[in-house]
Amino acid sequence: MKYCSTRGKVQGLSFTDAVMMGLADDGGLLLPEEIPGLSPNDLQQLSKLSYPELAFQIISRYATDIPESDLKALVNRSYASFEDPQITPLVKQDDLYILELFHGPTLAFKDVALQFLGNLFEYLLGKSNQRMNIIGATSGDTGSAAIYGVRGKENINIFILHPKGRVSPIQELQMTTVTDKNVFNLAVEGTFDDAQAIVKDIFGDLKFKERHALGAVNSINWARVLAQVVYYFYAWFQVNQETGAQQIDVSVPTGNFGDIFAGYIAKQMGVPINQLILATNSNNILSRCINSGDYSIADVHHSLSPSMDIQVASNFERYLYYLLDCKAEKVVQAMDNFKKNGRLEFTATQKQRLRNDFLSSSSDDNKTLETIRSFYKKTDYILDPHTATGIAVGEQNRNPAHPLVCLATAHPAKFGDAVQKAIGFNPDLPAPFVGLTSRAKNVVTISADKEQIKNFISANAT
Ligand SMILES: *Cc1c(COP(=O)(O)O)cnc(C)c1O
């Protein structure tokens, strides 16, 4: 399998090269040159597999340059860190199915991809005798999942900047109690935007970037999308075996469009998804785009589902490539226009196709709280605010003829304040998180100053 960029200047990459490149050198995103379709017979054979076996079968169709036995070991190691033997168990509540993606080490769905990506990086770096220094800014979720993905790994150091005192206490503890010597937590005296701007600046210094082999773990890496394709298959097989249904609807709480894009790929591969339902919070650029072709940026609102507080969804360009009939020059033109005018324009046919590919609406904080409250009343099941957004929007848009699967992207205890607002109490933390406060801390406070941060990285890079 070869990989090419959505912007056409990078072509013919191996899977390994695509993973190591991350963002394509021409500024685009990398995609496989074809999406392998699975026959009903293939699907039948995959339907009986355990999660790690299934993950190996799906990923191996794309990672064709990694020896099978190595890939199998990587996949098995990645999912051994999940506390549920089913990895992403499916539970039925009320009249829908919830796919729990939060049984990894940081209680959020990003673990499904980042546990795999960390192992993959370590393996590929070891093979080519290279090293990598990962740098990122986080407002919460991604930082801790990235740290848990690479803690203790060979040839990789990770530097995560978070705004001091401005991430939730549990998220801060999750990051700062990791004491492996390749992990560096920087509490920046500033806002998340300050931290993010500094990281962007540092990546823009190409000499510095090269000298320290800087890498990123953001959701533009193809390997992350790929790891997420697996659970759409897994959910489908279980619903099909339980109900005999011929199709499912799937609702996805969406921010950067990575998770739902994985669903789009799974559907192209043959998972019989009737409708992909894209749920946004009040940051609704993607809902506007699907419903009326209006893809124009607005200010970011802070909501109770902060991991979806995103305006420009970095993975949307991958879908755009298909929407523009795989014509890279059209993608370049569209993205140039977007940069200039802050909006994308679509033809009537493209708007129609958007509406065929996705259904969408948004749920504001009130609706989300109301959903947590009413769902708890009906079922005793506690939703986190991201998952609740997906359920609110899923119920609005579902086709009653098909079972609805809602992706649960975080454990409710991770967003206890929002849950408390809805139902009056804080959900219990799972056992491994009790007592985090009394553990040793690994964090350095640093001012929001690019040079100081670069000096720190130079002094501690691998
Ligand atoms: C990242 C995240 C999302 C959004 O996923 P995307 O792939 O960015 O669309 C939703 N919920 C939670 C809890 C997340 O951490």
Side-chain angles (χ1 to χ4, degrees), residues 93-394:
Q93 292 292 344
D94 194 21
D95 60 348
L96 50 82
Y97 290 89
I98 296 177
L99 186 68
E100 294 183 341
L101 302 175
F102 53 72
H103 292 278
T106 74
L107 307 181
F109 96 101
K110 290 189 171 64
D111 290 327
V112 179
L114 284 168
Q115 287 292 304
F116 174 63
L117 186 64
N119 284 311
L120 187 60
F121 273 154
E122 182 183 52
Y123 168 81
L124 296 177
L125 290 168
K127 242 169 99 166
S128 57
N129 209 2
Q130 287 174 294
R131 71 211 159 89
M132 181 188 276
N133 289 288
I134 293 171
I135 314 235
T138 188
S139 55
D141 259 3
T142 313
S144 54
I147 287 170
Y148 274 79
V150 302
R151 65 184 296 183
K153 300 268 186 278
E154 302 280 339
N155 306 318
I156 307 178
N157 282 4
I158 184 166
F159 301 82
I160 295 291
L161 283 61
H162 69 264
K164 184 175 168 135
R166 298 183 201 221
V167 297
S168 80
I170 167 118
Q171 290 183 335
E172 183 180 335
L173 282 169
Q174 273 188 329
M175 293 191 281
T176 58
T177 54
V178 177
T179 53
D180 299 74
K181 65 183 193 324
N182 70 330
V183 173
F184 298 89
N185 282 295
L186 298 176
V188 176
E189 292 175 313
T191 63
F192 169 64
D193 291 339
D194 295 335
Q196 196 170 38
I198 289 171
V199 168
K200 234 178 156 177
D201 262 9
I202 292 177
F203 273 103
D205 179 346
L206 296 181
K207 267 201 196 127
F208 188 85
K209 181 176 171 199
E210 199 167 316
R211 174 154 24 108
H212 294 303
L214 298 191
V217 287
N218 43 23
S219 68
I220 45 116
N221 198 300
W222 168 252
R224 279 185 64 176
V225 174
L226 178 55
Q228 292 171 194
V229 171
V230 176
Y231 49 70
Y232 287 87
F233 281 86
Y234 196 67
W236 157 246
F237 292 142
Q238 288 181 70
V239 174
N240 175 249
Q241 277 155 24
E242 198 175 310
T243 65
Q246 294 305 302
Q247 284 192 310
I248 47 173
D249 283 348
V250 185
S251 180
V252 187
T254 295
N256 254 326
F257 202 80
D259 205 0
I260 193 148
F261 185 73
Y264 178 81
I265 297 283
K267 187 171 174 177
Q268 308 308 312
M269 290 179 76
V271 178
I273 297 173
N274 168 57
Q275 279 299 344
L276 279 167
I277 300 170
L278 185 155
T280 61
N281 61 26
S282 50
N283 297 284
N284 63 356
I285 178 170
L286 290 167
S287 295
R288 282 187 277 120
C289 173
I290 288 159
N291 292 319
S292 58
D294 171 22
Y295 190 95
S296 58
I297 26 182
D299 291 335
V300 177
H301 305 275
H302 292 282
S303 78
L304 293 173
S305 42
S307 301
M308 296 159 66
D309 289 347
I310 284 163
Q311 280 292 332
V312 181
S314 47
N315 273 291
F316 189 70
E317 183 170 334
R318 287 195 158 108
Y319 171 72
L320 192 64
Y321 178 78
Y322 294 116
L323 186 66
L324 302 179
D325 305 314
C326 305
K327 299 240 161 57
E329 66 279 6
K330 285 195 186 169
V331 176
V332 171
Q333 206 176 35
M335 295 313 291
D336 280 352
N337 270 338
F338 181 67
K339 210 168 166 188
K340 252 187 264 153
N341 310 320
R343 58 188 307 125
L344 291 175
E345 305 285 346
F346 299 103
T347 64
T349 321
Q350 287 160 356
K351 285 183 195 171
Q352 186 56 49
R353 214 161 121 195
L354 269 162
R355 281 194 300 267
N356 287 343
D357 286 339
F358 305 99
L359 294 177
S360 182
S361 43
S362 60
S363 167
D364 62 14
D365 281 350
N366 280 336
K367 172 100 182 143
T368 296
L369 289 175
E370 176 49 36
T371 304
I372 296 174
R373 200 174 298 130
S374 60
F375 206 79
Y376 179 66
K377 224 172 171 177
K378 274 190 291 198
T379 63
D380 277 342
Y381 187 94
I382 305 177
L383 302 170
D384 105 284
H386 303 79
T387 307
T389 306
I391 288 188
V393 171

